[in-house]
Amino acid sequence: MAHYDLAIIGSGSGNSLITEYWDTQKVAIIDAGIFGGTCLNVGCIPTKMFVYPGQLAASVTQAKALGVELKFEGADWAGIRDRIFGRIDAISEAGKNYRAHELENVTLYTEHVSFVSEHELRTASGESITADKIVIATGSRAVLPEVPGISLPGVHTSDTIMRLAELPKRLVILGGGYIASEFAAVFAALGSEVVQVNRSGALMRQLDADISAAFTTAAAARWRVELDADLRRISEHDGGLQLEFEQDGAPLMLEADVVLVATGRTPNTDALGVAQLGFDLREDGSLVVDDYQRVLADGEPVSGIFGLGDAANTEQLKHVANREARVLIHNLQHPDAMRPMDRRFVPAAVFTNPQIAYVGATEAQARAQHGDAVCSVIQDYGSTAYGWAMEDEEGIVKLLAHRETGLLLGAHLMGHEAALLIQPLIQAMSMNLEVNTMARGPFWIHPALSEVVENALLSLEIPARDSDPL
């Protein structure tokens, strides 16, 4: 039986927990998958490395509306893929080798483990590992619907779709969330015939209703979108795949060379044995942790057991996992002076076309909590000078604020570089900066696209105060 001061299950954000503090102590890092976790290998980083070439390809259509004739002559899929994974695979392998061979105090286990007791783990090969402190950072995996044909060759998840041998001519994407919508934009731009199929009546349905509706319309103008369609089966047909759906009581048949299943992700906690130990779990299977990232059992912290990332939060965002890791680095080293994780204003972006970014409450959430005290505004990108330059007819900024406090409650953007434009709004919410002060205090560059944010702030019905900037 091997004993460690710290055992980390998962090599994504959990890998960053091994700081110089542990140089004189024994650490185990355990991961049976690809070293580096979801974001590096199959998530945020490679997908965005595909998104950018897709944006360049899509600019041909946008340029035509401005009187510029560009020509898209096709995409070198293999070249794009190999450039991306040539870089990522090398980083993953280097990280694995560093942990396995270059640090005397660190032992790398490349097999599955499960809990025997609160501080004992057993590997798939039968070895026992004990540790004073254990961090569960096992990430998440794609969910596959239970329908006939789901395991056929040609049916992929986000884990495998980016390594295809060639660009598919016909691609059916199942799902209406951020993964499905990002890949739909990429493949459609690079030349695939894309059909995105969603069970509900709108794409990105978890977002503010105005953003969801606007994106559904925008997406349908770029690739084929089918809504309110339930998958019944997938079968082999004429050298490809045939998908049968029920849509409004009638059959919908689609043919594809490749199918991408992007219907959600589930935490990798079910095989760890945490339920048998009585650890608290949410309905989705993620661990319940307190503000200090300590795993709970019956609402109380389990001594020495911590969680982070997709295994222990509901956001499933890398920047949240990274913040949790920073909090946990401190708390592991200072058990008597722990610091809490601040989850008040978690932003997110969807790198689809058009881009989406959001933070805070949706209008429905804000009105449920604050009633008539909520004021809202929707500002069109096209209402600004830079929007005129772009001939933008889609982009919008939606802001929600509290009339009495003057504070932002939510910000929801769809359009060009939404993930950049939202950043000052995130900072304003984090720092309790009032709307009128934010709108009138700093200079806003004219005619930058950021004027659309300024104009949205100015349009909110927040009563003026004598102390407000002019």
Side-chain angles (χ1 to χ4, degrees), residues 53 74 82 118 136-137 149 155 159 172 180 199 262 275 299 315 391 440 457:
D82 293 347
E118 288 184 359
I136 303 169
V155 179
D159 288 355
V172 171
R199 290 182 60 187
E315 292 92 354
E391 292 290 342
R440 300 177 182 276
L457 291 165

Side-chain angles (χ1 to χ4, degrees), residues 376-396:
S376 67
V377 65
I378 295 179
Q379 192 79 31
D380 294 336
Y381 275 39
S383 66
T384 64
Y386 204 92
W388 303 350
M390 299 171 64
E391 292 290 342
D392 192 292
E393 298 179 352
E394 290 180 328
I396 55 175

Side-chain angles (χ1 to χ4, degrees), residues 74-412:
D76 178 5
W77 170 263
I80 294 171
R81 179 201 62 210
D82 293 347
R83 174 183 61 83
I84 291 169
F85 289 107
R87 185 170 190 173
I88 285 173
D89 290 349
I91 294 171
S92 173
E93 190 63 24
K96 180 179 178 180
N97 287 334
Y98 178 67
R99 292 304 189 203
H101 305 299
E102 298 183 30
L103 295 177
E104 293 183 359
N105 66 313
V106 175
T107 301
L108 174 63
Y109 292 85
T110 57
E111 55 183 322
H112 289 284
V113 296
S114 58
F115 279 87
V116 176
S117 62
E118 288 184 359
H119 288 273
E120 182 180 355
L121 304 167
R122 179 167 294 131
T123 69
S125 61
E127 183 176 355
S128 291
I129 299 169
T130 60
D132 297 331
K133 297 177 181 178
I134 298 176
V135 177
I136 303 169
T138 48
S140 62
R141 65 184 184 276
V143 175
L144 293 174
E146 295 182 2
V147 296
I150 197 66
S151 60
L152 284 171
V155 179
H156 291 264
T157 69
S158 55
D159 288 355
T160 58
I161 191 74
M162 291 179 284
R163 294 186 186 257
L164 290 175
E166 58 186 18
L167 185 72
K169 184 178 186 298
R170 303 167 301 171
L171 173 66
V172 171
I173 299 177
L174 306 177
Y178 71 96
I179 295 175
S181 299
E182 287 186 351
F183 278 115
V186 167
F187 281 99
L190 295 181
S192 296
E193 298 173 10
V194 173
V195 186
Q196 184 177 3
V197 187
N198 194 30
R199 290 182 60 187
S200 71
L203 303 180
M204 299 302 300
R205 193 166 56 93
Q206 76 276 25
L207 303 187
D208 182 90
D210 287 318
I211 299 295
S212 173
F215 176 71
T216 302
T217 299
R222 290 165 167 81
W223 56 85
R224 182 177 168 186
V225 174
E226 295 287 347
L227 302 174
D228 296 310
D230 286 321
L231 179 65
R232 295 306 186 206
R233 63 180 51 82
I234 303 173
S235 57
E236 294 179 314
H237 176 74
D238 197 22
L241 297 170
Q242 185 177 75
L243 296 91
E244 181 181 338
F245 300 87
E246 182 178 334
Q247 185 182 51
D248 298 326
L252 169 68
M253 308 296 290
L254 297 175
E255 294 185 0
D257 302 305
V258 171
V259 173
L260 168 61
V261 181
T263 52
R265 297 183 66 83
T266 189
N268 290 321
T269 55
D270 49 343
L272 290 176
V274 292
Q276 291 86 332
L277 293 181
F279 293 177
D280 293 343
L281 298 170
R282 300 184 184 90
E283 187 175 346
D284 68 354
S286 59
L287 291 157
V288 180
V289 297
D290 66 7
D291 291 343
Y292 306 100
Q293 299 302 132
R294 298 179 295 188
V295 169
L296 302 181
D298 293 327
E300 296 297 325
V302 181
S303 178
I305 309 295
F306 303 82
L308 70 85
D310 291 2
N313 67 45
T314 57
E315 292 92 354
Q316 295 190 347
L317 296 166
K318 179 63 171 176
H319 48 273
V320 174
N322 285 345
R323 175 70 65 86
E324 291 173 339
R326 294 204 301 272
V327 169
L328 199 41
I329 286 170
H330 173 87
N331 291 347
L332 287 169
Q333 299 175 22
H334 304 90
D336 297 324
M338 289 187 176
R339 295 183 183 180
M341 172 74 182
D342 185 354
R343 299 182 183 274
R344 291 175 300 160
F345 307 111
V346 175
V350 186
F351 293 87
T352 182
N353 186 9
Q355 199 175 98
I356 299 169
Y358 55 96
V359 63
T362 65
E363 183 161 1
Q365 292 167 342
R367 293 198 182 279
Q369 184 173 0
H370 302 287
D372 292 339
V374 176
C375 58
S376 67
V377 65
I378 295 179
Q379 192 79 31
D380 294 336
Y381 275 39
S383 66
T384 64
Y386 204 92
W388 303 350
M390 299 171 64
E391 292 290 342
D392 192 292
E393 298 179 352
E394 290 180 328
I396 55 175
V397 173
K398 179 174 182 178
L399 301 183
L400 305 160
H402 195 287
R403 283 191 179 89
E404 297 173 10
T405 65
L407 296 176
L408 283 170
L409 299 173
H412 309 271

